[in-house]
Amino acid sequence: MEITNVSEYEPIAKEKLPKMVYDYYASGAEDQWTLKENREAFFQDSRFSLVYTRPYWLQDGRPCWMVGNLGGRYLARFRPRILIDVSKIDMTTTILGFKISMPIMIAPTAMQKMAHPEGEYATARAASSAGTIMTLSSWATSSVEEVASTGPGIRFFQLYVYRDRNVVAQLVRRAERAGFKAIALTVDTPRLGRREADIKNRFTLPPFLTLKNFEGLDLGKMDKSDDSGLASYVAGQIDRTLSWKDVKWLQSITSLPILVKGVLTAEDASLAIQNKAAGIIVSNHGARQLDYVPATITALEEVVGAARGRVPVFLDGGVRRGTDVFKALALGASGVFIGRPVLFSLAAEGEAGVRKVLKLLRDEFELTMALSGCISLKDITRNHIITPAEAKHSISRL
Ligand code: GLV
């Protein structure tokens, strides 16, 4: 199968998977505005943007022309630097003290055995062979212990907080014992977003699978309902009272660093730091929760500004190209996580597919660095991109 970019896996997955499964992975909430925006904010020009030129005089009196863009919805264009020796590119980075091969990691996505019989095992193996981090979902179809048994690897555990705190405490302890290195606490899901395809399909976990982490706790099955089965499960089990004090509670039961996943504003970034989060993930849950929130790449700089370098800020949502990774890093992210490309490649080709996705993104990112004149991640700066607003004032900025 000749795949030349990660987006090519989606139509293959669509063809292979049962409709209920494909729709579950692919859908966003309600109008799916944010779903589209997560992707398009990386590249699209506004149809209504207006380009203008006007004369401008340099200090020595010589005239020049200023080209500006009034509005424009696209996020950023590159400002590559040239004639820099790029024969060796170093993409390695250290995340929470763990050295990895590139700033591209795997986001938590639920129920991977619906995509492929090897599910989370395949993803874990592909991540460790690429030298990067996999985040396992609470709602995985393989348990923390099973994933750990695939071999060494740096892994994070995504946590949903259940009403029954004994369930949470037990699970966190098991993740710790299984060698997981951090907790990614999902904070945007007191209730499940309305994913209309799941409602129409009466989505439920196929009967031959369980939410493996909860199997022994009698919470591993999902009842069929006349709604999305997952929405009903969340309504029954997930704690809607979750608040900042629970971040403190979590810190009292684990020494693992806690990443707050689902921050979109400066206010919440500051609160996360006040509450001793080890890092922040700018995420809108793959556009599956509140519709009409901004694309994560659009919200990133606000959060980075509030974090002021005190904790690392990561991003997930819409990353499909090495150039996307570069843009996120130029705007201040310490790394990105990818979700759907993993699911779709897993569905198409199992572990080999996930490996391929990681390799394609790695190669594209390396090329972007080379063509931008950056030989290590610290060389990627805000000056390597320009936004429409800055383009308006381009001469005064430089
Ligand atoms: C799982 O986290 C989902 O959003 O479906």
Side-chain angles (χ1 to χ4, degrees), residues 168-378:
V168 182
Q170 274 186 48
L171 188 54
V172 168
R173 225 164 290 132
R174 281 170 54 201
E176 246 177 52
R177 270 204 299 268
F180 284 70
K181 302 295 186 211
I183 301 290
L185 174 68
T186 293
V187 294
D188 56 18
T189 311
R191 300 170 57 175
L192 202 73
R194 264 177 84 79
R195 301 130 188 208
E196 293 179 7
D198 292 350
I199 299 170
K200 286 197 172 71
N201 294 334
R202 306 277 185 265
F203 172 78
T204 192
L205 187 63
F208 57 93
L209 294 173
T210 56
L211 303 177
K212 256 302 174 72
N213 288 315
F214 299 96
E215 200 176 42
L217 299 158
D218 237 14
L219 294 166
K221 287 280 174 197
M222 203 176 287
D223 296 330
K224 230 178 152 51
S225 75
D226 54 5
D227 187 354
S228 148
L230 184 61
S232 306
Y233 182 88
V234 168
Q237 302 303 335
I238 299 303
D239 192 348
R240 286 186 194 182
T241 73
L242 194 72
S243 70
W244 289 109
K245 72 177 180 345
D246 300 303
V247 176
K248 289 253 146 61
W249 169 75
L250 205 52
Q251 283 155 353
S252 76
I253 63 160
T254 181
S255 54
L256 290 179
I258 294 165
L259 303 174
V260 177
K261 175 177 179 286
V263 172
L264 291 171
T265 62
E267 296 91 310
D268 284 335
S270 299
L271 283 168
I273 294 168
Q274 266 172 40
N275 284 282
K276 309 238 170 359
I280 292 170
I281 306 178
V282 175
S283 172
N284 51 34
H285 205 127
R288 294 157 75 78
Q289 286 298 105
L290 180 61
D291 201 13
Y292 296 99
V293 293
T296 48
I297 192 68
T298 319
L300 177 63
E301 209 168 20
E302 172 178 332
V303 174
V304 166
R308 286 189 275 120
R310 291 172 290 175
V311 297
V313 175
F314 305 98
L315 168 136
D316 68 23
V319 175
R320 300 290 180 273
R321 284 283 188 189
T323 48
D324 300 339
V325 181
F326 188 101
K327 288 171 190 173
L329 267 61
L331 288 166
S334 296
V336 303
F337 290 86
I338 50 164
R340 289 187 181 89
V342 170
L343 292 167
F344 295 141
S345 60
L346 187 61
E349 291 188 304
E351 182 184 333
V354 183
R355 281 179 189 243
K356 178 96 196 208
V357 155
L358 291 170
K359 176 154 181 9
L360 281 167
L361 286 173
R362 180 188 174 83
D363 290 351
E364 287 180 1
F365 179 56
E366 184 181 35
L367 181 61
T368 309
M369 285 180 69
L371 298 181
S372 301
C374 297
I375 61 173
S376 73
L377 301 191
K378 69 173 175 6

Side-chain angles (χ1 to χ4, degrees), residues 118-174:
E118 299 252 300
E120 293 84 3
Y121 292 78
T123 305
R125 288 195 197 103
S128 44
S129 79
T132 194
I133 292 168
M134 171 199 185
T135 316
L136 183 72
S137 167
S138 274
W139 296 334
T141 37
S142 315
S143 66
V144 284
E145 293 84 5
E146 287 171 331
V147 169
S149 78
T150 60
I154 301 156
R155 301 187 183 106
F156 295 169
F157 182 67
Q158 174 272 334
L159 183 70
Y160 280 117
V161 176
Y162 280 53
R163 288 173 202 258
D164 182 345
R165 293 306 171 89
N166 290 326
V167 167
V168 182
Q170 274 186 48
L171 188 54
V172 168
R173 225 164 290 132
R174 281 170 54 201

